[in-house]
Amino acid sequence: MHISSDRALGLALGVALDAIFADPRAGHPVALFGRTASKLEERLYGDSEPRGAVHVILCVGGAAGLGVLAERVVNPAARTALTALATWAVLGGTTLAREGAIMAGALEDDDLAAARERLPHLCGRDPSQLDEKGLARATVESLAENTSDAVVAPLFWGAVAGVPGLLAYRAINTLDAMIGHRSPRYARFGWAAARLDDAANYVPARLTGVLTVLLSRDRARTLAVLLKDGHRHPSPNAGRCEAAFAGALGVTLGGTNVYGGRTEHRPTMGDGRAPEVGDVRRAVRLTRAVSLAAAGLAVLTAWRLRRR
């Protein structure tokens, strides 16, 4: 069996495992990576970009190295199993959709306290002062961005680079979440992590936008919003996902966000009304549809890239 045939089957099995088991509540491999990265940071930290770059190289290189060892396994069945386990470990699509559905249920029940308590599971936005429309917008935007980060991007890298791609991408994305944000501590040390995450998500974010257009009921409108507003977001990648979701759902995303006392004023995307409670469940369905399409495309790509 060709390596890429093992890869295609492993990706498909990993997607199935994620659909069945989602993320474990304890002992998640990504959490283990995070703890390891934190301990390494304690030894390497310094307010400089070179130190941050060394930290990223060691963390991402170690993850990719484990992937290389996995793909050197001779037995085809074992290679397929390792690819499936790696795919399951790095995917977050089922958990993402479930969190969105929980938010939808809380908002539909007018339980703002429960919705505010749950929002940190999706994003780092301060929920304390958000009303139901603010919570709905935050949820839709998080679903849009994380559809790429948690599903499309890892599947893309798994299809083109196998287990090394899966593990390296999740390491990059996790480091960005840990140290890539702008703060006095990480302004320099986290620079390399943030820039590498931008590079790793460049193609997947645009692929997420295209898939959203194709799955939209109004493809012309969704494409128009994606082309008009996708570049307006401060992130070079998140805007493509959010603009496409805004067009597909017929809403306007963006505006003022508060993160732990830090306020950001972001450009708006879309030409519709502000998101409402009913739009959250629609966004969940869209996330699931894009995730399923990305899974099929990844498996097909891995199969077509098999060695001749």
Side-chain angles (χ1 to χ4, degrees):
M1 185 182 293
H2 293 291
I3 288 177
S4 294
S5 300
D6 303 341
R7 182 178 299 172
L9 180 57
L11 287 171
L13 291 174
V15 171
L17 288 173
D18 179 63
I20 296 170
F21 299 108
D23 292 329
R25 296 187 177 182
H28 197 292
V30 175
L32 175 61
F33 170 82
R35 289 193 293 271
T36 303
S38 293
K39 290 181 180 179
L40 183 61
E41 179 187 337
E42 293 175 1
R43 293 177 174 271
L44 290 177
Y45 179 79
D47 189 18
S48 72
E49 293 177 1
R51 282 181 173 269
V54 170
H55 181 251
V56 169
I57 290 170
L58 291 175
C59 290
V60 176
L66 289 176
V68 170
L69 292 176
E71 293 222 329
R72 286 185 175 178
V73 171
V74 175
N75 184 275
R79 272 202 313 270
T80 299
L82 288 171
T83 302
L85 288 173
T87 303
W88 164 76
V90 305
L91 283 181
T94 299
T95 298
L96 174 65
R98 286 180 182 176
E99 289 295 334
I102 291 171
M103 285 293 296
L107 291 171
E108 289 163 358
D109 292 339
D110 294 322
D111 192 344
L112 293 186
R116 287 170 179 153
E117 183 178 355
R118 200 72 190 186
L119 186 65
H121 289 253
L122 283 170
C123 65
R125 202 169 303 180
D126 181 3
S128 61
Q129 302 301 316
L130 295 178
D131 59 13
E132 67 174 23
K133 286 191 175 182
L135 290 164
R137 177 168 72 84
T139 303
V140 172
E141 290 174 355
S142 297
L143 287 170
E145 181 176 357
N146 286 304
T147 297
S148 178
D149 289 357
V151 185
V152 179
L155 287 173
F156 170 83
W157 287 109
V160 301
V163 180
L166 288 166
L167 299 186
Y169 173 76
R170 183 50 62 207
I172 292 167
N173 191 246
T174 302
L175 284 176
D176 179 63
M178 293 174 65
I179 66 174
H181 48 85
R182 295 178 181 177
S183 69
R185 176 177 174 85
Y186 294 125
R188 294 185 179 86
F189 187 78
W191 179 88
R195 298 292 77 75
L196 186 58
D197 184 73
D198 287 343
N201 282 292
Y202 187 88
V203 173
R206 285 148 184 81
L207 178 58
T208 301
V210 170
L211 290 175
T212 303
V213 170
L214 294 176
L215 293 167
S216 172
R217 291 185 176 182
D218 191 338
R219 294 176 181 174
R221 180 185 66 192
T222 306
L223 179 60
V225 174
L226 173 59
L227 295 176
K228 178 174 68 72
D229 296 333
H231 65 284
R232 302 182 67 208
H233 195 283
S235 164
N237 299 316
R240 269 64 184 187
C241 309
E242 292 185 20
F245 266 58
L249 299 173
V251 299
T252 293
L253 300 177
T256 300
N257 300 330
V258 178
Y259 300 89
R262 176 172 54 88
T263 301
E264 291 186 7
H265 301 282
R266 296 182 175 178
T268 57
M269 293 171 286
D271 301 316
R273 53 177 170 72
E276 299 174 352
V277 172
D279 297 315
V280 176
R281 206 167 288 279
R282 294 172 61 217
V284 171
R285 290 196 293 268
L286 184 57
T287 285
R288 286 176 171 150
V290 173
S291 298
L292 183 60
L297 184 60
V299 172
L300 178 62
T301 300
W303 182 265
R304 293 292 298 271
L305 290 177
R306 67 185 183 274
R307 290 184 179 178
R308 299 186 181 277

